[in-house]
Amino acid sequence: MALAGKNSLVFVSATGKTLTAVATTAADGLTFQVAATSAQGEPFDPLASLTVATSSGGTVSSTGYTLYRPNGSVVFPTSSTNAYTITGTYLPTAQIAAAHGFFYKITADVADVSVLGAAWRSKLQTKLDVSGSVDDYHTDLTLGNLVTSSSQPICLTFYQASTASFDARAYGFLDADAIKSAVDGVVDGTVSFSGSADANGRAISFSTRGAG
Amino acid sequence: MATAGKNTLVQVSTATGGTYTTIAEMNSQSATLNGASLDVTAFGAAWKSKIQGLKDASYQVSGFWKSTDTSGQTAVRLALVNDSTLFVRVEIDGTTTNYFLQEIKVTDYSVKSAVDGLVELSMSFDGTGAPTLST
């Protein structure tokens, strides 16, 4: 059944906060999740370095775990017996209170690789991209201010029905704020978003609908 | 007699001979086959003459977003993000006797939500290689 848009929410990240040697949080000690204001965890900074260490202080190679920056999680092999600590930076997120709609799109460029003798075109995927926009009333200037003040990538989180599970979380830049008003209406804005990949090559993540 | 659009089904599969699953909650689609006519008109002609070039196909599908449609909506999104193989079968009248079937590249996956509307999903596919046309 279709979902009502009124239940959707949009969160935006604020300035990064440092984590220093924070221990794994899952009961089995195999998953680290940034726990803060979001029920589903906060994202890691898309570009800042992250260090994983054993409880004895030894640094763990990046091949020894899987890092999901948008999900704010570090997952260790089930065969692991170590206790781990994480040092890095996460982005606390907060709801955009004046948002009343959003749109995001994932696009892929395709290259034509048709060859002589073919009757139909053949194609290959080249680059992926993410973009979108958030519609918000001009009473909350959080997003609009970020357009001009932030030179660092931000993180937008889109919820469709519940904050227990986000639909999508994307890194990128807020690159425009179009503000319009009319004598018989309210001041309304549309903030445009342009995705940008994190240090691990991922610009958007989906928490509940499979990887990627 | 006209064919009712309500019976149309758009299905996807990760293998051409595999199981095709209907993408849930869709309510609009368009499938376009393009013959790419090339103008070969020469001096002295009053009317244009053309020959067929490289044929192409594209698909647009839209409807309502559904979080639990793993083998439909999610399969499309994963094919886009992971550049994995995906086939589409558009059953024009909802039967297996009138359909287009083709390998595709997913080029667009868009989600839209507004406070006074519904959560909507639209997707675009580019065909690659020759399609199978039932009729």
Side-chain angles (χ1 to χ4, degrees):
Chain A
M1 177 182 282
L3 290 175
K6 65 181 180 181
N7 296 318
S8 300
L9 296 172
V10 189
F11 280 51
V12 66
S13 61
T15 304
K17 291 188 175 182
T18 303
L19 299 166
T20 304
V22 179
T24 49
T25 49
D28 60 4
L30 296 177
T31 301
F32 174 86
Q33 180 82 57
V34 177
T37 55
S38 167
Q40 205 178 351
E42 303 286 34
F44 284 120
D45 185 291
L47 302 175
S49 61
L50 184 136
T51 303
V52 178
T54 61
S55 55
S56 59
T59 301
V60 180
S61 163
S62 60
T63 58
Y65 56 87
T66 304
L67 171 61
Y68 298 98
R69 287 180 182 265
N71 299 62
S73 65
V74 181
V75 180
F76 301 95
T78 53
S79 58
S80 174
T81 56
N82 281 314
Y84 297 99
T85 62
I86 311 295
T87 297
T89 305
Y90 76 95
L91 304 179
T93 62
Q95 183 183 347
I96 304 167
H100 60 85
F102 66 76
F103 167 75
Y104 73 79
K105 70 187 302 182
I106 312 168
T107 56
D109 294 333
V110 293
D112 192 325
V113 293
S114 308
V115 295
L116 297 175
W120 290 82
R121 290 189 184 277
S122 295
K123 294 153 196 174
L124 281 181
Q125 186 188 86
T126 56
K127 285 294 187 183
L128 291 166
D129 199 7
V130 181
S131 61
S133 63
V134 177
D135 300 320
D136 61 347
Y137 301 117
H138 204 58
T139 52
D140 181 348
L141 303 181
T142 304
L143 282 184
N145 288 341
L146 283 171
V147 173
T148 55
S149 66
S150 178
S151 59
Q152 299 298 312
I154 54 93
C155 182
L156 286 175
T157 307
F158 303 100
Y159 296 91
Q160 300 294 12
S162 163
T163 53
S165 172
F166 63 74
D167 168 34
R169 179 172 272 172
Y171 290 123
F173 294 90
L174 300 174
D175 50 14
D177 186 9
I179 302 165
K180 60 183 178 183
S181 61
V183 69
D184 57 351
V186 299
V187 182
D188 205 6
T190 298
V191 177
S192 301
F193 167 80
S194 183
S196 183
D198 65 20
N200 301 92
R202 183 188 296 259
I204 189 168
S205 181
F206 302 83
S207 62
T208 60
R209 307 177 71 200
Chain B
M1 179 183 282
T3 301
K6 66 180 182 180
N7 296 321
T8 299
L9 296 174
V10 182
Q11 303 175 320
V12 290
S13 174
T14 54
T16 182
T19 301
Y20 282 82
T21 303
T22 298
I23 304 173
E25 303 283 346
M26 296 295 100
N27 59 14
S28 177
Q29 74 82 28
S30 67
T32 304
L33 302 179
N34 188 340
S37 298
L38 302 174
D39 193 327
V40 293
T41 311
F43 290 133
W47 290 84
K48 288 190 176 187
S49 297
K50 296 162 192 171
I51 59 173
Q52 188 177 73
L54 265 179
K55 294 185 283 268
D56 201 0
S58 61
Y59 306 84
Q60 307 273 334
V61 191
S62 61
F64 307 119
W65 181 87
K66 184 178 183 181
S67 64
T68 56
D69 186 28
T70 307
S71 299
Q73 295 183 15
T74 305
V76 172
R77 196 199 72 219
L78 289 176
L80 168 60
V81 174
N82 299 329
D83 191 15
S84 52
T85 302
L86 196 68
F87 294 82
V88 68
R89 184 168 72 184
V90 180
E91 295 186 353
I92 304 300
D93 57 1
T95 73
T96 56
T97 55
N98 291 293
Y99 65 86
F100 301 161
L101 188 156
Q102 190 175 25
E103 183 175 355
I104 54 170
K105 293 294 182 184
V106 183
T107 57
D108 190 313
Y109 178 97
S110 300
V111 178
K112 181 180 180 183
S113 178
V115 69
D116 56 354
L118 299 165
V119 183
E120 299 171 332
L121 171 67
S122 64
M123 300 171 283
S124 301
F125 312 146
D126 254 15
T128 180
T132 301
L133 309 175
S134 62
T135 54

